[in-house]
Amino acid sequence: MKNGRSRELFATALGLIPGGVNSPVRAFRAVGGEPFFAVRAKGAKIWDADGNEYIDYVGTWGPAIHGHAPPQIVEAIREAAEQGTSFGIPNPLEVEMAQWIVNAVPSIEKVRLCNSGTEAVMSAIRLARGFTKRDKIIKFDGCYHGHVDSLLVKAGSGALTFGHPDSAGVPAAFVEHTVVVPFNDEEAVRRTLDANRGQVAGIILEPVPGNAGLYPPRPGFLEFLRRITTEQDVLLIFDEVMTGFRLARGGAQELYGIKPDLSCFGKVIGGGLPVGAFGGRREIMDHLAPLGPVYQAGTLSGNPLAMAAGLASLRLLSTETYQRLDESGAQLEKGMREIAARANVPVAFNRVGSMFCGYFTEGPVWNLEDALRSDRARFAKFFHGLLHEGVYLAPSQFEAGFISTAHGSEEIDQTLRAVEKVMATL
Ligand SMILES: *Cc1c(COP(=O)(O)O)cnc(C)c1O
């Protein structure tokens, strides 16, 4: 495998960009070695600067649900660009996007568009606090909500991988209103709410946490959260930046039949361009400026290129899309389980639809503590082995994998052959 050009680029990047990357997990620190530099991606494949080809299970960390660069999205961006790249004044595509989200997600009556998942969550938290006039937020360990100051506590992959879950530069006062509890632990939630009665603005979670690998909610856990937050007038905030439009058109909330008060989106709704969104009940959303006292703004929010790409991506989603993704996921899961069993390697394989994670541990994995039992050195070996065989997984044990509609039965078979080969060397 040639890597001269990537090595050269990385050496240059290291002198110019901290760590050589613009987002830490990309640096391969969790698995060792150096990242490759991507120059092209199409369908299920990605190509690096040295001409190597990989089957890609990162999918630009979630957005590429239709595979890379589907012609409909590329064409939509081209058409939009010809009309102007940014207006800074309302444009019709924003209305269309808002309509799409409101139609697809029953808990959402109004939505505000922004530029990233981080921005969506940051704004949703501010809104929850402004609406309830309370300060405290409950979050779960292992859930990542973007690099929002007050939520950078026990925040999943990036933080885990680098061993300082609380980032430097976040004043203690900024997280003093954040309470962290274990995921899937009803008793801990109940105790925390009791101890902070009348002070909690909201409970925020990834309904299917996908930033510490992937673990699903235990049966009844989301229902419990809905019930107890309603009883105590606490807002339930679903961070669906990863799961929104991926697990179902209406996100995890459709899949599990729960209506949160506020929801955050990003990734898929941008079709590969930078987008975020947050929305919910009308009475809450109307607390946002210019109607209400909670300030939130953005120079490029509702950008026409991003809206056009996102809308093209959303238009391609059908019931069949989700069936197909689930079938491909099932094929991968079955193969992985069989291979791991044959090789006598303990793997706890979690999957929800097109999101998956194989933890190198006996399992089961229901929360961060379980996830941390996995053998990271073994994962690193597995990762590099697969990369050598032309299969690209996220460079950390604590990331979810993503399947797209471009991952057909053939790509998955090819992946499984690589897995079989590498698993035998672990
Ligand atoms: C990716 C992600 C974010 C942050 O989104 P960015 O666009 O990277 O800022 C927030 N929450 C969840 C659940 C995510 O997966």
Side-chain angles (χ1 to χ4, degrees), residues 396-419:
S396 162
Q397 170 75 94
F398 305 113
E399 295 287 353
F402 298 97
I403 296 165
S404 79
T405 53
H407 291 75
S409 168
E410 202 171 302
E411 283 81 6
I412 294 190
D413 276 339
Q414 194 183 329
T415 303
L416 290 172
R417 282 196 296 277
V419 169

Side-chain angles (χ1 to χ4, degrees), residues 252-275:
Q253 51 193 281
E254 178 187 320
L255 197 65
Y256 294 95
I258 305 289
K259 268 175 112 169
D261 300 296
L262 287 173
S263 305
C264 305
F265 297 92
K267 299 191 171 127
V268 169
I269 65 162
L273 266 62
V275 179

Side-chain angles (χ1 to χ4, degrees), residues 10 15 31 47 54 61 95 142 157 173 179 185 189 229 232 239 244 253 257 259 261 263 280 326 363 424:
F10 195 54
V31 290
W47 286 267
Y54 309 92
W61 305 94
V95 185
S157 151
V179 187
D185 186 340
V189 173
T229 46
Q232 303 207 13
D239 178 351
Q253 51 193 281
K259 268 175 112 169
D261 300 296
S263 305
D326 193 52

Side-chain angles (χ1 to χ4, degrees), residues 116-119 121 144-147 206 211 239 241-242 267 275:
S116 71
T118 296
E119 211 187 308
V121 175
Y144 175 67
H145 302 294
H147 59 102
E206 299 178 65
N211 280 287
D239 178 351
V241 170
M242 186 183 280
K267 299 191 171 127
V275 179

Side-chain angles (χ1 to χ4, degrees), residues 243-304:
T243 52
F245 292 88
R246 172 164 282 279
L247 295 185
R249 209 196 288 245
Q253 51 193 281
E254 178 187 320
L255 197 65
Y256 294 95
I258 305 289
K259 268 175 112 169
D261 300 296
L262 287 173
S263 305
C264 305
F265 297 92
K267 299 191 171 127
V268 169
I269 65 162
L273 266 62
V275 179
F278 61 104
R281 276 162 38 209
R282 183 177 297 110
E283 58 164 332
I284 305 173
M285 292 304 290
D286 283 350
H287 273 63
L288 280 178
L291 283 183
V294 179
Y295 193 71
Q296 191 276 339
T299 301
L300 294 176
S301 293
N303 174 270

